[in-house]
Every structure is written in structure tokens, then in C-alpha cells.
Amino acid sequence: MKRYVILISGRGSNMEAIFAAGLSGQCAAVISNRPDAAGLAHAAARGITTVALDHRAFADRAAFDAALAAEIDRHAPDLVVLAGFMRVLGESFVRRYQGRMFNIHPSLLPCFPGLCTHEAALAAGVKLHGATVHFVTPVLDDGPIVIQAAVPVLPDDSAETLAARVLAQEHVIYPRAVRWFLEGRLRLVDGRVQLDGETQASGALIAPAA
Ligand code: GRF
């Protein structure tokens, strides 16, 4: 059975969605850089090993990355799942997990990398917004796209209503991407995503207007 580790910094709703999907792999640990992350308690309540690794206790990014990699490797995961993990990871850390580390980002990448994506989408006046699961590369919020979900932007949307519509779709696409990987059907080949046994359209989900 394949093993995965989830990295969080906050509430962990994507983590919960992955657990709720009843995947066949084993979550070996949930690690947070914030000891007060609400998601840690939810994972512990499920009997999953939790680890708090406070980035503020380390002299610099490299020292934190090294400790994080050592902790991850202790659990020998096949896949590392960044689920609302709000620390930028250094290049050597990212290379170590190349082809076996996912991130979820609340926009249709390559639009709106970085923070405040919902505000940016409203300011740009886009009619479609959404979320992306991608393999992690050293460039922030970049990397080969595994699956995207698009949602409509409605005329009276606020950043909060739009974020909620996007989050509901994050909870659909992240478990799906993790399942594909754990089933051994998804891989990175020469920087491109290869998915067995699905049509091309499986990576694109269009949510109807609510
Ligand atoms: C999500 O919107 C995710 O896309 C972003 O951070 C948020 C994390 O939410 N990277 P949660 O902790 O999974 O509830």
C-alpha cells in the first residue's frame, strides 16, 4: 500500500477531504509548521501521527527545510501532499521530492499565483476562477498541472463567496489527484503529467453555477 504525508499550516479542510475520500493509501503523518494549526487536532482525532515543526525555531529557511525533509523521510512516503502549507520551500527541498509532491492552489494557474487569489480574480474581472492541483517545482505556484476545477464568478461575488465556491471544488479535485497517484496511474514524464485509464477531460472539472 502506498504511503503519503500531508503538510498543513491551518484548518486542514483539504486534508479532511482527502481522508473522507477513503483512499486506499495510508496517511503516514500530518506535519505542520504551525503548532496551533487546527488541522493537527483533526488528524490526531483520526489516530494519525501528527508532528509540529515550528519554522520560527530554525535559524533560516535551509535549516527548516532540512529538518522538514528529515521528518518527512522518517515516514517513507511515496507522495508528499501540500494542503494549505504556507511556507515557501527551497529549491533543494523541492528537487528532493520532484515528481512525488503535490500542491493545491486556489486559482486557475498560471493565473494569479501567490496570495489573495480571489481578490485578484475579482479585480481582474475574470468570469471563470478555480483551483489547480500541480506537481511542485522550484518556481512558486508553478509546475505540471494534474487537475483543475473552474467555477463561475458571479456579479455580486465577494472574495469570501468566491473563495467558498472554489474551496468546495478543491475538496473534489484534491482527493481525485491523490487517488490517481496512489493507484500508480499518475506520473511525471519529462516534465509532463501522464495519467493512465482516464480521458484527457478527467483533469478538467467545470462546476455549474450554484
Ligand atoms: C486552500 O484554499 C488551498 O488552496 C490553499 O490554502 C487553503 C488551505 O485550506 N493553498 P485548508 O487548510 O485546506 O482548509
Side-chain angles (χ1 to χ4, degrees):
M1 186 189 283
K2 284 200 164 61
R3 298 159 62 81
Y4 61 100
V5 162
I6 302 182
L7 271 54
I8 62 168
S9 297
R11 70 191 158 186
S13 72
N14 277 288
M15 173 197 78
E16 285 286 345
I18 290 166
F19 293 152
L23 305 176
S24 59
Q26 186 201 343
C27 181
V30 172
I31 304 172
S32 175
N33 64 308
R34 302 194 61 98
D36 58 349
L40 282 179
H42 299 313
R46 288 180 178 268
I48 292 166
T49 300
T50 59
V51 182
L53 204 60
D54 192 340
H55 62 273
R56 291 166 298 193
F58 295 86
D60 53 25
R61 191 181 301 285
F64 173 69
D65 282 5
L68 183 59
E71 184 58 43
I72 291 171
D73 292 351
R74 227 162 53 76
H75 303 284
D78 299 283
L79 179 66
V80 178
V81 178
L82 306 184
F85 186 70
M86 303 306 281
R87 292 293 299 168
V88 172
L89 296 162
E91 177 158 359
S92 69
F93 181 96
V94 170
R95 295 226 181 278
R96 182 183 191 90
Y97 301 104
Q98 195 128 1
R100 54 190 182 107
M101 182 158 64
F102 283 166
N103 182 43
I104 188 157
H105 183 74
S107 81
L108 292 173
L109 290 174
C111 284
F112 314 128
L115 298 173
C116 303
T117 57
H118 310 302
E119 288 84 349
L122 290 175
V126 294
K127 302 301 180 199
L128 286 174
H129 185 43
T132 303
V133 176
H134 62 96
F135 280 101
V136 178
T137 62
V139 181
L140 184 70
D141 299 330
D142 197 79
I145 292 171
V146 175
I147 185 167
Q148 291 185 306
V151 303
V153 180
L154 303 180
D156 54 357
D157 264 334
S158 63
E160 290 71 31
T161 58
L162 186 53
R165 193 174 307 120
V166 170
L167 188 65
Q169 297 308 312
E170 293 184 36
H171 297 164
V172 175
I173 62 174
Y174 217 178
R176 194 175 295 185
V178 172
R179 177 167 57 79
W180 286 338
F181 190 94
L182 296 177
E183 288 174 354
R185 295 160 57 198
L186 180 68
R187 67 199 72 81
L188 206 51
V189 182
D190 297 331
R192 293 184 71 90
V193 174
Q194 215 175 65
L195 175 61
D196 301 336
E198 297 278 343
T199 63
Q200 198 56 35
S202 308
L205 201 135
I206 318 280

